[in-house]
Amino acid sequence: MIEVSNLSKVFPDGTRALAGVNVTVPDGDFVAVIGLSGAGKSTFLRCLNRLVDPSEGAIRVGDRDVAGLHGRQLQHYRRTVGFIFQQFNLVQRLSVLDNVLSGRLGYHPTWRGLLGLYTDHDRELALAAIRSVGLAGKEEARVDQLSGGQQQRVAIARAMAQEPQLILADEPMASLDPRLSDVILGILRDYNEAKGVTVLVNIHVLDLAKRYAKRVLAFNKGALVFDGPVTSLDDELETRIYAGSLEAL
């Protein structure tokens, strides 16, 4: 379970990206995070895995006080959180398999990762993840030889190889042909349903949120302005969310 209390983030230039966010996400949920560009969606996800440090507030994931983690404890937490970036964040000159295996780095000393000394278990997990995203047969292909949609599937497989308890995806379709959005979200939904892993996805296309998510968190100007089932979204509510005229919960 994710429990966020009074979460705020103010950047050094004075920009208030989040303002007093309170939300609870139960295990196994599939949540779409929506809002205009600059609404605070990405900052919210990045606070959850501490790529961004909150200015104030509490974050609990399972039994961990995430906001208070540092050093090795933070490293151990991050290996349980798969983060999927908009721009893939892959090593282009390496193979699909090597990129997916990098999801196992948090489970080994740094020197083993640098030398590529992965275990048989690591390789089994990586190969299974590659198959699950539909890239069987591409294990030895260099990533720079793949299409954008294939590269994003490699990034998802890398997150799966971590054996995460939580997957955070920051607009994973934004750099892709719109036709591929269903492929990417379908893979994430199937993984959510098969493994029971909680998934939060920043989605800028409302129709996709309606088709795939169970629940919606809507942000506007750093505030959480809607938290409810996707079935509650209607045209009037959507207009109010994006216009910023809905009072924060």
Side-chain angles (χ1 to χ4, degrees), residues 88-103:
F88 318 141
N89 270 30
L90 302 172
V91 182
Q92 296 290 313
R93 61 183 175 80
L94 294 183
S95 70
V96 169
L97 179 58
D98 285 336
N99 271 279
V100 176
L101 280 169
S102 70

Side-chain angles (χ1 to χ4, degrees), residues 101-112:
L101 280 169
S102 70
R104 303 297 300 166
L105 288 174
Y107 293 89
H108 301 293
T110 302
W111 65 270
R112 289 185 65 91

Side-chain angles (χ1 to χ4, degrees), residues 16-238:
R16 180 173 289 277
L18 294 173
V21 175
N22 295 281
V23 67
T24 298
V25 179
D27 286 343
D29 216 349
F30 192 112
V31 181
V33 185
I34 66 172
L36 293 170
S37 178
K41 307 186 303 297
S42 293
T43 302
F44 175 67
L45 289 196
R46 289 167 183 260
C47 282
L48 292 184
N49 79 334
R50 289 285 307 283
L51 283 175
V52 169
D53 292 332
S55 299
E56 61 180 284
I59 306 169
R60 295 195 67 84
V61 179
D63 60 355
R64 292 184 175 97
D65 174 9
V66 174
L69 295 179
H70 299 282
R72 190 172 295 277
Q73 288 183 328
L74 179 58
Q75 180 185 4
H76 287 174
Y77 165 68
R78 281 180 175 157
R79 74 187 184 188
T80 70
V81 181
F83 199 97
I84 300 165
F85 296 86
Q86 179 179 326
Q87 299 294 339
F88 318 141
N89 270 30
L90 302 172
V91 182
Q92 296 290 313
R93 61 183 175 80
L94 294 183
S95 70
V96 169
L97 179 58
D98 285 336
N99 271 279
V100 176
L101 280 169
S102 70
R104 303 297 300 166
L105 288 174
Y107 293 89
H108 301 293
T110 302
W111 65 270
R112 289 185 65 91
L114 291 173
L115 295 174
L117 298 178
Y118 296 102
T119 67
D120 290 343
H121 178 61
D122 294 332
R123 293 183 181 278
E124 289 170 5
L125 288 172
L127 291 170
I130 291 168
R131 289 193 299 271
S132 71
V133 299
L135 290 178
K138 296 284 188 181
E139 291 85 356
E140 300 305 324
R142 277 177 51 135
V143 163
D144 57 11
Q145 297 172 345
L146 304 181
S147 68
Q150 289 173 325
Q151 290 190 42
Q152 191 59 287
R153 283 189 273 165
V154 174
I156 294 172
R158 177 182 59 193
M160 292 176 177
Q162 291 179 232
E163 297 183 293
Q165 64 177 352
L166 170 64
I167 285 185
L168 307 172
D170 190 8
E171 297 199 19
M173 301 82 63
S175 299
L176 305 178
D177 185 308
R179 295 174 301 169
L180 298 172
S181 297
D182 283 299
V183 174
I184 297 303
L185 285 172
I187 290 170
L188 291 172
R189 183 181 61 185
D190 290 348
Y191 186 75
N192 163 257
E193 293 177 350
K195 301 291 187 179
V197 171
T198 306
V199 176
L200 278 74
V201 188
N202 282 352
I203 300 177
H204 61 279
V205 179
L206 275 174
D207 285 344
L208 291 172
K210 290 178 178 179
R211 286 208 300 274
Y212 289 94
K214 302 172 185 175
R215 176 180 174 191
V216 169
L217 303 178
F219 284 82
N220 189 285
K221 298 179 181 178
L224 180 66
V225 296
F226 177 76
D227 174 5
V230 70
T231 52
S232 295
L233 287 178
D234 56 27
D235 291 343
E236 180 184 357
L237 183 56
E238 291 166 16

